[in-house]
Every structure is written in C-alpha cells, then in structure tokens.
Amino acid sequence: MSEEPTTDAAADGGQQDGGQTVVRRDRFSGGPARGFLSSMDADDRIFEADLAVDRSHAVMLAEQGIVPEDDIGAILVALDDVEEAGFDALPAGEDVHEAIESAVIERVGPAGGKMHTARSRNDEVATCIRYRLREDLLDAVEAVNLLRETLLAVADEHTETVMPGYTHLQPAQPTTVAHYLCSYEGQLSRDAARLLDAYARTNESPLGAAAFAGTPFDVDRERTAELLGFDGVVENSMDASSARDFLYEGVAALAGVATTLSGLAEDLVVFSNKGLVELDDDYASTSSIMPQKKNPDTMELVRSVAGDAAGGLQGLLTTLKGLPRAYNRDLQNATTHAWETVDAVVEATEVAAGAVGTAHWPEEALADAAGEGFSTATGVADLLAMHGVPFRTAHEVVAQAAKAAERTSGETASDAGEADYEALDAAAREHLGESLDEAVGEDAVKAALDPAHSVAMRDSRGGPAPEAAEATLASATEDLEHDRTLVGDARDALAAAEDELAAEVADYV
Ligand code: ARG
C-alpha cells in the first residue's frame, strides 16, 4: 500500500482519498500499517453509539455557544444522512469516529469539522463503548433472567420428584429436581446482581474529558451525560479517557455467568449419560456415523463457553496490565474481548434456557437412582442423633453398616432395603448395646431409608423437603421480579434519554 498524495483539501480539514474525503491524512496516512491501525472491522458495533455521542456533543456545543447554531444544524442534518446511509457506506477512516467525521465534512464542508471541537477520539471512544456495552449488559441480565425463570418453572413442577444428589460425583443424599434446579437459580441471581453492578459503573460518561487533559472550552459534561442517558460523569478527565475497569468488571461478571452455566451443562451431560434427564431433540445432536446416538452437544458447547469467557477476561486484563496513563492504542484491542465475551455468553445462556425448559426428567429412573449407594444413610444417622446418640457415634453405626452391606454404589434402595436394615441393626447392637428398634423404632428407620421420606425429613430452610422448596421458589420468584424491574427501569431511562436527544436534535434540523 503506497502513501497517498496530500492535496489542498487537507488544509481545510479534509483530503481526497479515492474520491472520498478523509480527515487527518496529510502526514499519517497509515501507509502499509493502515489496516493494522484500523478498528473499522470491530466498529460496526459502536456505529449507533457514535452517532448518539456526536449528536449530544453537537447539541451541547450549540447550547454552550461554542459552535454557532447554524453549523450545528448542518452537522445534525448530515448525521441523520450518515445514519440513513449506514455503516457500510462510511468513507475510509482509521476508525468509525474518523469515518463519521469525514462523512459529515463531505456533506457539510469544512464547517463539519467543528463537530470535533472540545473533544478527542479518546473520550469519544470511551463514551461509545460504555454506551453500547450497557445495552449488552442489560441483554445479558435478561438472558440470565430468562434462564432463572425457566429453572423456577421447571422446579415448580418437580418439588416432589426425588433424584440423587451427588458429592464427588458419588451418590450422596437424595434430593429433588426442584431443589437441584433452584441451586442454579440462586447462583444465577447473584450473577445477575454482578452484571447489574457492572452496569452501574459502566453507565457513567467520560465525554468532555477530551484527550485526557480536559478542554479550555466551556463544555457542559452533565448535559451530554444526561442526553446520552448516563447516570453521571467520570470525574477526573484522565481517568475518564483512559480507564477500562468498567470493561473488566463487565467481562468478569460475564465470565461468572459462563462458569455457572458450565456447571449446569456438565451436570446435564452427566445426567444424560445416566438416563436421569433427557434433552429435547432440538437440543441434542447425533453422530455422522452412529445413527442411534443422541448426544448432548448443546450442553457441551455451553460448557465450553466458560473457556471463551475466561479467555476473554484473561486477554482483556493482560492487555490492560501495565498500561501507562493516559490513552494508549492497546485500548482499541481491549474492547473486542468484551464484545466477543458478551456475545458468546448471551447466546449460551439463551441456549441453556431452551434446553432446561424442554428437558424431560424421568421420574421413575430418578427415584430408583435416588436410593443408590446407601444414599439415605445420613438420614439414619440424623435419626439416631435425634434420639440422643452423639452424631459421631451415629456416623460410626451407619458407616459400619454401609461397609457390611457393601453399599457404596450401584444397588437401588429397593434391592437392598431389608439388608440395609439388618446391617444397621447389627451395627447398632454393637455400638449402642441395643437394637435399632429399641433405640429409635423400626418403622422410623425404615422410613428414613426411603428416599422420598428422607427428602421430606430435610425441611430446614432452603432444604429439599417440598414445603422448604416451595418457600425457596416463592422468594426466588420475588427476587426475579425485582431484578426484572431494575432492568425495565434501566431500559426506560435509556429510552427516555434517546427521546430527549431526538427532540433536541429535531430543534436544529
Ligand atoms: N479507535 C480507537 C480506539 O478504539 C480510538 C482512537 C483513539 N486514537 C488515538 N490515536 N488516540 O481506542
């Protein structure tokens, strides 16, 4: 790529480039590194944001008497036209900011160059990223909320569906499908809160910071912040144009969501393998050679997005690490990590919601599996402890019985119920000096050995007993409603600002 010839047009702010007017090309045309310098490939994402930033800045310049109203009117008309023509029609430029400015100058003439008075691309791009990212963060919260709603709806149907609960992937204690699903809903509610926290700190305006050092013009930073729907301004101008902590906060929150999803996805892969859940055909895939296969591919891909998100966070932090103040061009490459991460995580969250909402939980297979591996043993130990046996002694009784009955995994409760009782009774006689019947009553022990009864006994707050699960469902539903209100309020505020900006612009065009 050869360096472009300069022309006279450069003298008044523009220059011809293959028939198109461009700005700032008199000396630094980019030459062979032009493509390398350019962020145009990624900037489509902030095209609308940049137009909004340009409009609010222009309105403020007119209101403050910094640029005459006539010029601002012409600039605002041009911006409408640029928007109409679309991103792909933009003239060449190092980035979308430069390209839009060129497009405005093309339409308005040299006075179009007044749009860039009292600002820099540094505060401009920081404002655009925040403007766009806040929408993306709200999309992410909505996707998470959809998954929460789905988990709660399915849980509501399965408060009495007994299933095995695992620790170390070994059968541990019976629980219910509702209790299991609500465990992920709880984690996702905190993921949503983290995204909303990130939203609050993203939603502050850097505009008016200029390159980093402020500006001698009498800009009204609160006014542009208001017109763009920001909750306030980033105070220090060097902080405003260079800091990207809002990016890593958002990406970290997204990586948290992806990590939560990966656990849920892994469970569903394992449960599919054990025949404890069946994904709908829409969320499964088959083999190109083994036609009988139904594979949980969607869940495997959801699981993998945690890798993408962690990679995005790592890439972002590594890019930011050690950057000196103030603006450095590295920041241009930091941004793409955020876009890639938010896209991957939102898509995975929506797919997870679809898969959870359509999966089938086979109640019989779940109930059988719930008794595997002497999984009700802890309930028997609890029963002994309720009758005054020190828990540690009760633990020994049950451990000895489990060993004697060789019930570490595999068999179902119905296979082994009687044998389990016998083994427990023998252990009780040895450790307690009395029969199990004398210690707590045969019926009570046999009930405790039954998975459904075992679940019903565990009615502590947040536990799996159906009434405890109902309470969890009720409060989780309330929390979800609350979070949805927060998102709705945020969306409304952004829409109101958009309307206000459009109304102000209408006064000039
Ligand atoms: N496209 C750039 C970015 O994304 C903004 C340009 C600021 N450029 C500069 N040389 N100061 O960060």
Side-chain angles (χ1 to χ4, degrees):
M1 215 179 288
S2 65
E3 218 162 284
E4 301 146 45
T6 46
T7 71
D8 291 345
D12 52 40
Q15 157 188 341
Q16 298 305 306
D17 172 25
Q20 289 179 317
T21 305
V22 296
V23 291
R24 285 191 295 269
R25 290 242 176 271
D26 49 336
R27 183 168 157 209
F28 301 105
S29 69
R34 195 161 158 183
F36 187 66
L37 283 165
S38 172
S39 57
M40 275 309 251
D41 284 348
D43 282 355
D44 197 356
R45 184 120 187 174
I46 52 170
F47 176 59
E48 289 298 332
D50 196 62
L51 290 165
V53 169
D54 287 344
R55 286 175 175 131
S56 64
H57 183 68
V59 166
M60 182 278 293
L61 290 176
E63 287 175 354
Q64 295 294 100
I66 297 170
V67 174
E69 287 191 3
D70 286 355
D71 290 334
I72 290 300
I75 287 167
L76 289 169
V77 168
L79 285 171
D80 283 351
D81 195 47
V82 169
E83 181 172 32
E84 180 104 6
F87 179 79
D88 291 336
L90 286 175
E94 199 174 79
D95 53 30
V96 70
H97 321 294
E98 194 176 279
I100 289 179
E101 189 183 340
S102 295
V104 167
I105 292 169
E106 251 173 33
R107 287 160 174 82
V108 173
K114 294 186 183 181
M115 181 171 77
H116 208 56
T117 309
R119 73 172 190 191
S120 148
R121 280 187 296 162
N122 297 351
D123 61 336
E124 186 180 359
V125 70
T127 312
C128 290
I129 300 166
R130 287 167 179 266
Y131 184 95
R132 174 59 206 243
L133 183 64
R134 60 189 190 181
E135 295 276 359
D136 286 316
L137 289 174
L138 292 179
D139 289 349
V141 179
E142 276 179 359
V144 169
N145 286 346
L146 174 68
L147 176 55
R148 291 167 68 190
E149 179 184 18
T150 308
L151 288 164
L152 294 176
V154 178
D156 194 42
E157 289 167 21
H158 289 289
T159 53
E160 302 196 6
T161 306
V162 173
M163 72 176 282
Y166 299 89
T167 59
H168 314 275
L169 260 188
Q170 303 297 318
Q173 287 186 271
T175 183
T176 67
V177 170
H179 189 240
Y180 164 76
L181 294 175
C182 284
S183 76
Y184 277 109
E185 196 286 328
Q187 187 165 329
L188 286 162
S189 74
R190 295 186 296 279
D191 284 324
R194 280 183 279 269
L195 287 167
L196 287 167
D197 277 354
Y199 178 87
R201 274 177 289 276
T202 298
N203 196 26
E204 294 177 340
S205 177
L207 197 59
F212 74 87
T215 167
F217 292 97
D218 179 25
V219 293
D220 185 345
R221 295 191 60 200
E222 287 77 16
R223 178 62 171 150
T224 46
E226 181 199 348
L227 290 171
L228 291 168
F230 288 108
D231 284 335
V233 301
V234 182
E235 188 66 32
N236 177 284
S237 64
M238 190 182 291
D239 179 22
S241 60
S242 49
R244 293 291 186 274
D245 52 294
F246 69 95
L247 275 187
Y248 67 65
E249 188 172 5
V251 172
L254 289 160
V257 173
T259 303
T260 303
L261 294 182
S262 72
L264 174 64
E266 166 73 0
D267 277 344
L268 294 177
V269 169
V270 171
F271 294 170
S272 297
N273 171 271
K274 292 174 184 279
L276 300 181
V277 73
E278 188 179 353
L279 295 182
D280 189 84
D281 286 359
D282 283 349
Y283 291 92
S285 196
T286 190
S287 156
S288 61
I289 178 170
M290 300 166 284
Q292 83 287 4
K293 291 209 72 187
K294 179 170 174 180
N295 301 324
D297 293 37
T298 54
M299 291 303 96
E300 292 164 359
L301 286 166
V302 166
R303 186 173 60 186
S304 78
V305 167
D308 298 332
L313 179 60
Q314 177 79 353
L316 175 59
L317 289 170
T318 309
T319 302
L320 297 179
K321 177 187 174 294
L323 282 189
R325 285 289 191 239
Y327 180 89
N328 301 275
R329 196 57 168 272
D330 315 48
L331 293 177
Q332 178 167 292
N333 281 353
T335 314
T336 46
H337 291 297
W339 304 144
E340 284 164 11
T341 304
V342 74
D343 288 347
V345 173
V346 169
E347 186 183 27
T349 308
E350 288 169 355
V351 168
V356 168
T358 53
H360 171 63
W361 297 89
E363 297 185 11
E364 227 172 278
L366 287 162
D368 279 351
E372 275 179 11
F374 216 170
S375 68
T376 47
T378 307
V380 176
D382 286 335
L383 195 62
L384 287 167
M386 282 174 181
H387 283 79
V389 177
F391 184 79
R392 189 51 54 212
T393 308
H395 187 279
E396 279 164 22
V397 169
V398 175
Q400 182 180 320
K403 189 159 180 252
E406 291 185 343
R407 298 274 278 119
T408 47
S409 66
E411 296 160 274
T412 65
S414 44
D415 293 338
E418 201 52 46
D420 287 344
Y421 185 82
E422 305 289 299
L424 284 163
D425 192 43
R429 286 170 196 274
E430 194 180 321
H431 286 266
L432 311 175
E434 56 182 348
S435 73
L436 212 44
D437 192 36
E438 286 159 345
V440 295
E442 180 172 341
D443 288 349
V445 174
K446 288 196 165 158
L449 286 171
D450 170 61
H453 187 87
S454 163
V455 163
M457 280 169 60
R458 278 171 283 124
D459 58 358
S460 52
R461 180 170 171 178
E467 65 271 26
E470 298 287 354
T472 301
L473 277 169
S475 72
T477 303
E478 218 172 277
D479 290 349
L480 175 58
E481 282 314 306
H482 174 72
D483 287 353
R484 285 205 151 128
T485 307
L486 295 179
V487 174
D489 290 349
R491 294 264 196 219
D492 288 349
L494 297 186
E498 233 176 272
D499 289 349
E500 189 188 345
L501 178 58
E504 293 296 342
V505 167
D507 279 351
Y508 295 87
V509 300

